Amino acid sequence: MAFGVGPGGRVRPFGRAEPLRVPTTTGSSSAEAKPRPTDRPILLLSVQRGTLSIELDAPFAVGPLVVDDLAIALPSVRFPVDLTGGVTRFRHRRGVLGRLAVSTRTEDLAAFVAPRARGVLGEGTPEIGIVAAELGLRVGMRLGRAALAFDLVIAPNERDVRLVPERARGVGLGAPPHVLALRVLAEVCRPFGRLAGSAVILPDAVASLVRHVMPAAGARAPSVHGARWEAPAVEEGSLSLRADATASPPALAAAAIRAIEQAELTADADAIAASGDLEEARRRYLLALERAPRHPEISSRIAWIDVAEGERAEAALSTLVDAIPAIDAGLLGGALLAAIGDEGGAVAAYARAAHAEAFGPLAALVWLEVARISSELATRLDALDQAVVRSPMLEDARWARIEARLDVGDAQGARTDAEHLEAAARGPEARHRIWSRAAEAFLSRGYVAEARVLFERSLRYAPDSPEAALGLALSLRAAGEGRRALDLLARAASLAARAGRNLPSVEIELARALVEHASDRPAAIARVRAIPPGLVQTAEARALEGRWRAELGDLAGASLALARLREAAEAVSPDDPDRAAAVAAMLVEAADIEENARGDLRAAQRHLGVAIRLRPRDRQIGAAFRRISTELGRVAPPPQAAPLPVAVEEIAPSERAPSFTPPAPSVEAARSMEEAPTNEEDDEGDEILVERLTDKLRANPHDHEVALRLADALARLGRDLELFALLSARIEEGGDEVRRELWPRKRAVLERLAETARAEGRPSEAELYEMMAASEED
């Protein structure tokens, strides 16, 4: 069949509502008789304004994008023309792109981005939230307690598309948020996009799309010469871009132009920051700030680098406030104000940022920060309520509110939150974990009856869980049902053994129950002794073993167990205050056993020395260490035997004056003392001098001159242990002036003790002495 007009005739134009459709298949059967393929684009022929075109019959998905419209003019085709064969007849002709329209739904884009953003915030795939905005998109992502959000400006330029992130912000990040935003964009757009300074460029995006669509449809890619992108069109839940051969250069909004200008200003610094060299990037940002003084975004990026590097809060705040008040700087301002101790300012900045934040999970995490730093209970509870409202599915917010409600006695509200968590959980394992954790929270705060019910509910989902059986047993024991608790603990141990698991907590609690309710210390010792080294519970197991062996009269075995306790305590960090306090209490008990049951002062001193490393400000531990050290100096004071160092800031007044018991004076020293009683420093023996000055200091503990003369005499005698006790007491009694005067002497004593300990093969003691000598506070 031929289609055309006679001489002098006119071709009737076809509008877009009624295009000429020619089937792409040949034969007598109709196109509707066979299903159209769904794995490639479907094309049709169209005639408009006397020009034959190839168009897209239906939208075709390309990843998260949907090609809604595609028209390729065939200007080389002249009428009349034979259209038999449809698109197949013309697919090898090189056409010219007339128009191209693509769109994306934000939910499809979020599903596409999530797996490609894996690893940016940590191990695992983050939760992604994307909403359409005036200039492009607002992007948010969360993984655990880390969240990142930024605004994405979509700025077409001829056939390229620029993606410019700005206002990047976040919490719990290990790098500046703008750097992470650039990395996310680069990963998502790979391999079609490339990172160029402050933006990700999709070069010649028009050609890239048609080269993907047309070959997939079995047709030749057209020329895209003259095609330009128009400004993006934003609707609720979607965003679309259109390119047209007749379009004018894209008319961008003023805010988009500002973002592009800012990206060009910081291009070098952003590229270096994205590569990981934050110090050089900071220098480049400062150079950019010289060209654009008080630029808010550049100042914020410098401050974010200082926050990421740590211990630069003052410098970061100084940079920030030159451009914008800290309270108006959102999450960055809140973080900096919290770092310098301004609780009120930090709470206000965080609250303002959370109210303005579009990404709900990030807003909820900001409210959790408010709850964490706030000292007012009402502010904390309100912040947790806000966190739950902004992100009801955020487990951290629910758990934080459960604990806060229990702290104020709202057990019913806490249980309601736990029920919400159960409703959101999927599978019996997840629900078992929720009720176990909730029961532990109730039990730790003394809600024994409620904890018992919750542990029973946890066992409903996992009846063979030894952890749940252990929790129920602890609840019963707290309620006074010790015998039933013992039976449950034995069952928990049996369940753990049957599953081939080693649960030290079960073994320890069963051992305690054997002692308390069955008076079976040997069996209890066997239980705790089986706990291997290197675990969190190892120290407690060794302490209990030492206690029970001492109660049985096995003092040698008790001493050996307590020595292993000290070894386990060496691995505990003082930065973990709760665990450090618990282990320090065990060491104090160990020292008491060594001193009173075995009479081994040296072993007691070692235990207390490790306890002081864990709790350097504990008054009672310091007093006990000083008392035992003085006893050791009185009983056996070999000059080379250096005691374990101690750093105690507060000692009871009654214990501050050291006790000295010098040896009896020689006859020659007594005679010289009688001949020259007025010049005792020059003529008396130092041993006699120490005795006399000690008596004077006991009579008048506030005589600073006598204390200094006594310190000189002890230093000449090499009695560094007593000198250390004297100087520590004087520093604690005096003010800053006395401390400045005596601290150099005390540091010299510590250095000598460290040198002696290291020479005698006691490196751990030497390290503690050196740590004390290098510190600025006693």
Side-chain angles (χ1 to χ4, degrees):
M1 179 183 72
F3 177 83
V5 294
R10 299 180 61 186
V11 177
R12 177 178 171 278
F14 288 83
R16 289 292 301 140
E18 299 178 20
L20 173 66
R21 296 175 179 265
V22 180
T24 60
T25 59
T26 59
S28 58
S29 60
S30 63
E32 288 76 8
K34 294 182 179 180
R36 291 181 175 178
T38 58
D39 57 345
R40 63 185 178 89
I42 303 173
L43 303 177
L44 57 82
L45 292 177
S46 173
V47 176
Q48 291 192 23
R49 297 180 178 88
T51 301
L52 185 65
S53 299
I54 297 177
E55 299 187 6
L56 195 65
D57 183 39
F60 172 67
V62 182
L65 303 178
V66 175
V67 181
D68 297 308
D69 189 17
L70 175 65
I72 300 171
L74 301 174
S76 62
V77 176
R78 303 298 181 186
F79 291 96
V81 61
D82 184 4
L83 300 180
T84 303
V87 174
T88 303
R89 181 181 181 87
F90 302 96
R91 63 179 181 170
H92 295 301
R93 291 181 178 267
R94 179 136 170 109
V96 177
L97 180 67
R99 61 182 181 273
L100 172 68
V102 296
S103 65
T104 182
R105 295 191 306 169
T106 54
E107 58 186 22
D108 295 336
L109 195 58
F112 176 82
V113 168
R116 289 160 178 79
R118 183 182 179 91
V120 174
L121 300 183
E123 295 296 329
T125 301
E127 170 190 355
I128 302 293
I130 299 178
V131 297
E134 180 181 0
L135 301 180
L137 299 171
R138 290 176 179 169
V139 183
M141 56 185 64
R142 181 194 70 88
L143 182 64
R145 295 297 292 265
L148 170 70
F150 56 91
D151 295 348
L152 183 62
V153 178
I154 300 177
N157 179 25
E158 295 293 333
R159 294 199 299 268
D160 298 343
V161 176
R162 290 167 294 186
L163 307 177
V164 184
E166 64 173 2
R167 292 186 61 244
R169 57 214 181 267
V171 296
L173 307 176
H178 187 73
V179 173
L180 295 180
L182 287 172
R183 292 176 183 171
V184 168
L185 287 178
E187 287 297 323
V188 170
C189 297
R190 194 183 308 274
F192 304 104
R194 57 181 175 83
L195 184 62
S198 304
V200 171
I201 306 295
L202 300 175
D204 206 353
V206 175
S208 297
L209 278 169
V210 296
R211 288 170 186 165
H212 183 84
V213 174
M214 296 306 292
R220 186 177 179 181
S223 168
V224 295
H225 181 71
R228 293 190 181 94
W229 288 111
E230 299 177 357
V234 178
E235 298 179 1
E236 184 178 358
S238 67
L239 179 142
S240 59
L241 281 171
R242 184 180 181 86
D244 198 297
T246 61
S248 302
L252 301 178
I257 296 174
R258 186 188 68 240
I260 294 172
E261 187 70 21
Q262 174 183 292
E264 293 177 353
L265 185 63
T266 61
D268 292 342
D270 285 337
I272 295 173
S275 68
D277 189 353
L278 295 183
E279 288 301 323
E280 178 61 21
R282 188 181 191 278
R283 190 181 72 83
R284 298 293 182 95
Y285 282 130
L286 288 173
L287 294 176
L289 197 60
E290 291 179 2
R291 289 180 287 159
R294 299 190 176 184
H295 194 292
E297 185 66 19
I298 299 176
S299 300
S300 296
R301 293 181 190 179
I302 295 173
W304 275 119
I305 289 177
D306 289 335
V307 170
E309 291 296 310
E311 299 182 357
R312 294 182 180 177
E314 290 77 9
L317 194 59
S318 175
T319 303
L320 183 65
V321 297
D322 281 344
I324 184 174
I327 199 171
D328 295 330
L331 306 186
L332 176 60
L336 293 176
L337 291 171
I340 66 172
D342 185 356
E343 178 188 318
V347 168
Y350 274 139
R352 187 173 298 184
H355 281 299
E357 180 56 53
F359 185 47
L362 176 56
L365 290 175
V366 176
W367 284 119
L368 289 183
E369 285 295 305
V370 174
R372 182 183 63 85
I373 66 176
S374 178
S375 59
E376 296 183 3
L377 182 59
T379 303
R380 180 186 173 203
L381 290 173
D382 179 68
L384 293 174
D385 289 341
Q386 294 279 2
V388 173
V389 169
R390 290 305 307 272
S391 185
M393 301 301 292
L394 183 63
E395 288 191 7
D396 288 339
R398 290 282 184 186
W399 286 117
R401 192 164 73 169
I402 286 174
E403 294 177 356
R405 284 178 164 178
L406 289 176
D407 290 339
V408 298
D410 185 7
Q412 182 58 43
R415 178 157 181 170
T416 301
D417 277 328
E419 289 171 350
H420 276 285
L421 290 170
E422 181 197 28
R426 292 294 178 265
E429 295 83 3
R431 296 189 173 191
H432 161 69
R433 287 193 296 269
I434 287 171
W435 286 117
S436 292
R437 181 174 174 181
E440 290 170 0
F442 274 78
L443 180 60
S444 65
R445 288 164 176 80
Y447 294 91
V448 176
E450 293 85 349
R452 175 178 175 177
V453 173
L454 299 185
F455 275 122
E456 290 173 346
R457 190 163 182 173
S458 173
L459 284 169
R460 179 193 309 170
Y461 294 108
D464 293 334
S465 169
E467 292 87 354
L470 170 63
L472 181 57
L474 295 178
S475 301
L476 291 172
R477 187 172 67 184
E481 301 183 36
R483 289 293 177 181
R484 287 195 60 196
L486 180 58
D487 293 340
L488 268 175
L489 287 169
R491 171 172 168 74
S494 176
L495 290 172
R498 187 188 310 166
R501 301 171 58 192
N502 182 18
L503 296 179
S505 298
V506 173
E507 298 296 327
I508 287 177
E509 294 303 331
L510 178 55
R512 289 181 183 275
L514 287 170
V515 172
E516 294 174 5
H517 304 291
S519 299
D520 192 350
R521 286 175 175 78
I525 291 172
R527 287 281 180 182
V528 295
R529 189 178 181 183
I531 296 176
L535 302 178
V536 175
Q537 298 86 355
T538 299
E540 183 180 6
R542 301 297 177 260
L544 291 173
E545 181 185 354
R547 177 197 299 173
W548 294 331
R549 285 184 180 273
E551 291 173 354
L552 289 173
D554 182 9
L555 298 182
S559 182
L560 181 59
L562 296 176
R564 291 172 179 165
L565 162 64
R566 189 171 66 248
E567 294 175 1
E570 293 284 359
V572 178
S573 172
D575 297 333
D576 186 354
D578 294 337
R579 190 180 177 205
V583 175
M586 299 175 198
L587 290 166
V588 170
E589 181 182 0
D592 181 69
I593 293 173
E594 294 287 4
E595 178 187 7
N596 296 318
R598 296 186 65 247
D600 190 343
L601 296 180
R602 180 66 64 184
Q605 184 192 49
R606 291 195 184 100
H607 291 315
L608 292 173
V610 178
I612 282 179
R613 182 185 68 82
L614 298 176
R615 300 277 291 174
R617 299 175 183 269
D618 193 291
R619 176 182 301 180
Q620 295 180 348
I621 296 176
F625 179 86
R626 184 164 301 174
R627 176 181 56 78
I628 290 180
S629 298
T630 303
E631 290 293 329
L632 278 172
R634 180 185 300 118
V635 174
Q640 73 275 11
L644 197 64
V646 56
V648 182
E649 293 187 358
E650 295 180 340
I651 301 297
S654 62
E655 298 167 338
R656 286 174 177 163
S659 175
F660 305 101
T661 307
S666 63
V667 177
E668 292 78 5
R671 184 179 298 112
S672 67
M673 180 178 61
E674 293 174 358
E675 292 175 354
T678 60
N679 193 10
E680 44 192 12
E681 285 83 353
D682 294 334
D683 299 327
E684 288 186 347
D686 284 330
E687 296 285 357
I688 299 297
L689 181 59
V690 165
E691 183 178 5
R692 295 191 60 190
L693 293 176
T694 299
D695 292 338
K696 288 183 179 181
L697 191 61
R698 285 173 176 168
N700 184 8
H702 302 291
D703 193 332
H704 189 61
E705 183 63 29
V706 170
L708 293 179
R709 290 159 56 195
L710 178 58
D712 292 336
L714 291 172
R716 289 193 298 271
L717 289 172
R719 291 162 63 171
D720 288 335
L721 172 62
E722 297 174 62
L723 177 57
F724 174 76
L726 172 65
L727 294 176
S728 297
R730 300 306 302 178
I731 288 174
E732 290 159 8
E733 287 179 348
D736 292 339
E737 183 177 353
V738 173
R739 184 191 181 283
R740 285 193 296 270
E741 179 184 4
L742 296 184
W743 174 247
R745 296 191 183 208
K746 184 174 180 180
R747 182 167 50 208
V749 173
L750 290 169
E751 290 172 352
R752 291 198 301 271
L753 292 173
E755 182 179 357
T756 301
R758 194 171 296 280
E760 295 180 357
R762 301 193 304 274
S764 61
E765 295 184 13
E767 290 175 2
L768 291 175
Y769 283 124
E770 291 164 353
M771 178 185 67
M772 283 292 301
S775 67
E776 296 182 359
E777 293 185 3
D778 188 12

